Amino acid sequence: MIETQEAVSEFGMVGLGVMGRNLLLNIAEHGRSVSGYDLGQDKVDALHSEAGGKPARGFTDLQAFVKSLKTPRCITMLVPAGDPVDQVIASFKPYLEPGDLLIDSGNSYYKDTDRRIEELAKTGIGFFGMGISGGESGARHGPSMMAGGSPEDYEKVRVPLELVAAKAEDGTPCVAHVGTGSAGHYVKMVHNGIEYGIMQLLGETYDLMHRGWGMSNAEIASTMDEWATSDLGGFLVEITAEVLKKKDDITGNDLVDMVKDEAKQKGTGKWTSQDAMDLRVPVPTIDAAVSARDMSDLKDERVIASKILQTQAGQPSKDLGLLRDALYVSMVASYAQGMCQLRAASTANKYGVKMAEVASIWRAGCIIRSALLKPIHQAFTENADLANLLIAPNLHNTVLQRLNSLRGLITQAINIHIPVPCYMASLAYIDGYASERLPANLTQSQRDYFGAHTYARIDKPGVFHTEWAEAK
Ligand code: 6PG
């Protein structure tokens, strides 16, 4: 720890919770002097004790913290999304100067980020949103970081961020300027939407194996371990295996069996779904994942309903190959939906997102890193305007070969009464996308029947209306 109070620190961090502290220590470890600020003395003490010999100083005094930073200052904040971000901005504004830079690294709502960029632009203080993924360990050892805003502001911090970011297999740092305005927070929001989809798919997979096929947690864990090294492997599959192996210190049981089945959420998955609706981009796997968390929260009602709504279930027939292939296809559907949403948002919000670059920085460090990100990255590198990953030349054959496994799995889940909303939504998404003609002709006819909303015809251009009701 450096004892001096001179302005020597290159990087400042507001919010010294575990994430903020770990990211700061990561930066310090790469030889950059850093300062951290938190109202809690305990957090500052924790920073000092964890810093060892690294150039990191902690402050509870805002002015002393600001003074400790080299100018132009660069301050990142890792505080809870919402009001706390506005409060930090308001309390720092009087002490900052034009040219200084504030970076919001929390999971902020992207519209708040746009508002903050606009407000701070009037003062000459730079501001941008940068989603960080990878949790506490990622922050400490190499996160994936999605920065948005002005490219000039990003350039001021690019080098240190590239130093601390996770590195993909080919050595590329998993950090990039993903677009203008609130693009950084938008990309992180969609990352989390995909995260929700894959987590729920893994939940349904576990449910089928455990409740449906009577497999023990240890057996499921060893299957997941095997899958983790295959083409559907990734961080979430790996941690699922670890979770299933963990014993409870209190009872000695498998810890996962002692955890209450009510999934909570902080909002990023819901925002992804809501915004996809606004953009009119279908993301049914993500929607189903959000709904599944909401359904889980109805614990008391579910207990009552489980006594009332019972019918005889069919015979299970364990088939791990079927399940594996169904999971692969549904995971591709989750990424495909998120990527479509991102492309539409980039056009609507003029972000200028480069899809291949986003896929590239998700290859390591983040929660949705997986073997699939390699072909996804390749698909967008080969065709920046790819309409949908499902039709990518390097993915569609595998999807097609495994699609019937998804059908078979869903059929069985229906018969044995295991709810698989994300698997079903993924199949419906693929079947819908692969349908040359959908029943929207009937929807249009109904709309025109009761509301004279008009319709288009297949045989000639124009807008048509018909008096559909037969005179009685
Ligand atoms: C990440 C995670 C991280 C956080 C989620 C949890 O990328 O590191 O996504 O941001 O764990 O926000 O979200 P929920 O509380 O909504 O599950």
Side-chain angles (χ1 to χ4, degrees):
M1 186 181 65
I2 299 169
E3 294 299 340
T4 175
Q5 298 299 306
E6 286 164 34
V8 293
S9 293
E10 292 174 64
F11 231 89
M13 172 68 68
V14 179
L16 296 178
V18 188
M19 280 288 289
R21 221 159 59 224
N22 280 359
L23 188 61
L24 208 54
L25 290 170
N26 186 353
I27 299 169
E29 199 159 74
H30 284 83
R32 306 282 163 148
S33 53
V34 297
S35 292
Y37 169 77
D38 201 289
L39 289 173
Q41 184 62 47
D42 55 328
K43 306 258 176 56
V44 169
D45 292 344
L47 175 70
H48 287 156
S49 75
E50 289 165 25
K54 293 185 247 336
R57 294 181 288 167
F59 298 86
T60 51
D61 183 285
L62 193 152
Q63 288 190 53
F65 165 71
V66 173
K67 270 196 198 152
S68 76
L69 297 166
K70 273 186 191 164
T71 54
R73 300 171 188 89
C74 171
I75 302 172
T76 300
M77 59 178 102
L78 253 166
V79 298
D83 288 344
V85 176
D86 288 313
Q87 282 159 18
V88 168
I89 293 172
S91 57
F92 273 80
K93 227 157 81 176
Y95 303 100
L96 299 180
E97 296 162 301
D100 288 347
L101 180 60
L102 273 174
I103 305 172
D104 175 12
S105 293
N107 276 332
S108 288
Y109 184 48
Y110 79 96
K111 287 186 181 170
D112 287 339
T113 305
D114 280 324
R115 168 179 58 79
R116 289 165 187 147
I117 290 173
E118 204 176 307
E119 280 167 14
L120 278 164
K122 294 173 202 150
T123 67
I125 299 166
F127 181 84
F128 69 77
M130 179 173 75
I132 297 192
S133 180
E136 295 167 3
S137 150
R140 184 68 184 83
H141 304 292
S144 167
M145 293 176 281
M146 299 143 246
S150 119
E152 293 76 31
D153 280 342
Y154 175 68
E155 200 45 43
K156 293 179 191 163
V157 286
R158 183 180 57 78
V159 174
L161 291 179
E162 286 182 354
L163 276 176
V164 302
K167 306 291 176 300
E169 231 173 45
D170 60 4
T172 312
C174 290
V175 59
H177 176 262
V178 294
T180 56
S182 55
H185 278 143
Y186 200 97
V187 171
K188 177 65 194 338
M189 178 186 82
V190 171
H191 165 284
N192 282 25
I194 298 170
E195 172 186 303
Y196 272 51
I198 297 174
M199 286 173 75
Q200 176 61 25
L201 283 167
L202 286 167
E204 293 169 17
T205 304
Y206 151 76
D207 207 14
L208 277 160
M209 292 165 119
H210 195 51
R211 219 157 41 108
W213 297 342
M215 291 172 69
S216 69
N217 292 322
E219 285 169 331
I220 302 170
S222 100
T223 307
M224 292 276 174
D225 274 337
E226 210 179 290
W227 290 355
T229 58
S230 75
D231 59 1
L232 59 64
F235 175 74
L236 287 167
V237 176
E238 287 162 26
I239 66 159
T240 305
E242 272 188 59
V243 162
L244 291 164
K245 288 177 204 164
K246 189 81 178 169
K247 293 287 176 197
D248 177 19
D249 287 342
I250 302 166
T251 60
N253 296 339
D254 292 347
L255 182 53
V256 72
D257 292 339
M258 305 307 294
V259 176
K260 196 169 180 190
D261 54 327
E262 282 178 359
K264 304 300 174 193
Q265 49 186 311
K266 293 205 196 79
T268 44
K270 184 184 74 178
W271 296 340
T272 309
S273 274
Q274 286 174 328
D275 207 67
M277 295 258 175
D278 287 341
L279 289 167
R280 305 206 45 231
V281 175
V283 295
T285 308
I286 297 170
D287 300 339
V290 177
S291 291
R293 289 201 190 189
D294 295 339
M295 178 61 84
S296 80
D297 236 12
L298 302 176
K299 175 75 180 177
D300 295 343
E301 287 180 51
R302 286 191 288 116
V303 170
I304 296 166
S306 70
K307 312 268 183 311
I308 302 168
L309 300 170
Q310 280 301 341
T311 54
Q312 186 64 41
Q315 281 304 311
S317 157
K318 181 175 156 186
D319 188 338
L320 291 177
L322 191 85
L323 184 54
R324 205 207 83 90
D325 287 355
L327 180 58
Y328 177 92
V329 172
S330 302
M331 276 168 66
V332 175
S334 301
Y335 286 108
Q337 292 165 34
M339 288 315 225
C340 285
Q341 175 167 356
L342 210 47
R343 212 194 28 195
S346 178
T347 305
N349 303 332
K350 301 186 174 59
Y351 286 148
V353 172
K354 294 188 189 74
M355 304 300 288
E357 194 155 48
V358 171
S360 171
I361 63 170
W362 284 352
R363 286 180 296 167
C366 69
I367 302 297
I368 62 167
R369 63 185 184 262
S370 72
L372 263 173
L373 256 323
K374 199 174 173 181
I376 292 172
H377 176 234
Q378 192 196 337
F380 283 112
T381 304
E382 281 166 12
N383 179 6
D385 296 322
L386 179 67
N388 194 304
L389 280 171
L390 292 172
I391 54 166
N394 65 339
L395 279 167
H396 74 81
N397 279 334
T398 319
V399 167
L400 213 52
Q401 279 157 15
R402 301 180 184 183
L403 193 53
N404 277 342
S405 295
L406 180 54
R407 296 188 202 286
L409 186 84
I410 290 171
T411 307
Q412 180 171 170
I414 291 168
N415 285 333
I416 63 174
H417 300 190
I418 302 288
V420 288
C422 270
Y423 275 116
M424 286 176 161
S426 302
L427 179 61
Y429 177 75
I430 298 170
D431 279 344
Y433 194 62
S435 291
E436 192 186 334
R437 189 162 165 87
L438 287 168
N441 52 327
L442 182 64
T443 311
Q444 283 298 82
S445 306
Q446 290 162 333
R447 290 178 70 244
D448 192 50
Y449 182 116
F450 60 68
H453 295 299
T454 73
Y455 58 93
R457 294 182 58 93
I458 58 168
D459 53 353
K460 49 183 172 182
V463 173
F464 299 87
H465 168 63
T466 298
E467 287 302 320
W468 295 84
E470 293 292 331
K472 299 234 162 67

